[in-house]
Amino acid sequence: MPAPPSPAPPERGVSPVLRIALLGPLAVAAGYVFLTLTLAGSDTDALFAWRMSPVTASLLGAAYGGSCAMLALCLRAGHWVRVRMAAYASALFMLLMLGAVLLDRGETHLRGGALVAFLAAWIWLAVHLAAPAVGLLAFGAQARRRGPVPPRPPRLPWWVGAPMLVDAAALLATGLFLYAAPAPAARHWPWPVGQLDVRAFGAWCLAFGAALLFSWWESELRRVRGGMAALVVTGLFGLIGLVRYADQVRWSSPGAWLVVLVLCSLLGLGISGAGLSALLDPPPPPLAVAGTLVAGPPAGGPGAAGPGAGPGSGIRPV
């Protein structure tokens, strides 16, 4: 009887170094910032790295909440293809936020203030200064991880891909403008902001835009479900924040309604992406090809293997 062919090698997994050094700490940090800015948005002068209005705090907190949800899902993922979009987008944001803090460090509490805020500012700076080195270590470990990467499926239908590309282009263009020229944007903002606030918004726009572009390139929505969760959480909590502090927003400004449009777009993309994923994604690849052996329960259910069946008796040909 000919020997069955060897099973295919397992798909490339996620490096433990990437999980422990990058994804885990970023998820915890994002969750802490989300809770601080959401629950104590009126006290950032005493509790956070820089002072900002409650409206800004609620919107930035929503973005960090979305990031926390995305990274938490990535920590549960077993395959690199379901993590790489979130890992790359998070690394990009950390670099952009480091640049924003260095450019507008005068707006932070690095030079003094309440004790908690002073410590928060230095911890904030230290974390972002360390992020590039930690990222290089984590991505280097992931690059040495063995195993095949499944090929990307064909392109998404145009009616799915086109909205993703349009939103990605809009977010990237907006983020680039806000990050590069925060002063003119701050003068016309629909609530009081500083240049660091505007650059932080720009960094998030760039990170979300890059994530959407990468999601379109992946062509399989199942691989980027963490990103969909980030869009839903960011859009939902952002809208809640605007309602909560509606009296502090100048609604006669077109910019206020542009913010509402962006948040609704993020929320809609996330919800529709989750629904379309179940309809459009190809079925998961089979665990084995014809003639190989896979572990599983016997065809007749528990006990069907007969007397003396051991732990390995559930192995059956397919």
Side-chain angles (χ1 to χ4, degrees):
M1 183 176 184
S6 302
E11 184 179 325
R12 184 179 302 176
V14 182
S15 167
V17 178
L18 187 75
R19 291 184 189 274
I20 296 172
L22 191 69
L23 300 179
L26 287 181
V28 172
Y32 172 78
V33 176
F34 164 65
L35 292 176
T36 301
L37 294 182
T38 301
L39 301 179
S42 301
D43 300 312
T44 52
D45 196 31
L47 299 176
F48 197 63
W50 73 91
R51 182 180 182 179
M52 64 185 76
S53 78
V55 188
T56 298
S58 66
L59 293 183
L60 291 181
Y64 278 101
S67 176
C68 178
M70 175 182 71
L71 292 168
L73 290 175
C74 288
L75 285 171
R76 300 179 57 190
H79 300 143
W80 168 236
V81 294
R82 301 199 180 191
V83 171
R84 58 187 179 185
M85 179 277 293
Y88 292 148
S90 299
L92 172 62
F93 174 76
M94 292 297 288
L95 290 174
L96 291 169
M97 199 64 218
L98 172 61
V101 171
L102 293 177
L103 289 169
D104 296 310
R105 58 189 178 276
E107 296 185 17
T108 68
H109 292 123
L110 290 171
R111 297 180 181 178
L115 178 60
V116 175
F118 177 72
L119 293 175
W122 280 102
I123 293 173
W124 187 273
L125 179 61
V127 167
H128 287 81
L129 284 173
V134 174
L136 286 175
L137 173 67
F139 284 117
Q142 182 61 46
R144 293 191 294 272
R145 189 81 175 179
R146 302 299 180 187
V149 176
R152 291 181 294 110
R155 293 286 176 88
L156 290 167
W158 68 267
W159 48 273
V160 176
M164 294 176 69
L165 286 177
V166 170
D167 276 37
L171 286 169
L172 289 171
T174 302
L176 185 60
F177 170 71
L178 296 180
Y179 197 86
R187 287 195 295 268
H188 299 282
W189 210 263
W191 62 85
V193 291
Q195 289 194 174
L196 181 53
D197 298 335
V198 176
R199 277 204 171 97
F201 284 128
W204 276 114
C205 286
L206 288 168
F208 277 125
L212 278 174
L213 192 61
F214 194 91
S215 299
W216 172 82
W217 177 82
E218 282 281 21
S219 298
E220 186 176 342
L221 297 176
R222 179 172 49 226
R223 298 184 179 188
V224 293
R225 283 179 180 167
M228 297 175 205
L231 295 179
V232 171
V233 172
T234 301
L236 179 61
F237 278 92
L239 291 171
I240 291 174
L242 284 182
V243 173
R244 181 182 177 189
Y245 298 109
D247 59 326
Q248 301 187 31
V249 178
R250 185 161 44 89
W251 294 105
S252 59
S253 169
W257 297 104
L258 181 60
V259 173
V260 172
L261 177 63
V262 170
L263 293 173
C264 289
S265 176
L266 295 180
L267 179 61
L269 275 175
I271 293 175
S272 60
L276 289 171
S277 173
L279 296 174
L280 299 179
D281 282 343
L287 296 178
V289 296
T292 62
L293 300 179
V294 296
S313 59
I315 296 179
R316 55 187 175 86
V318 295

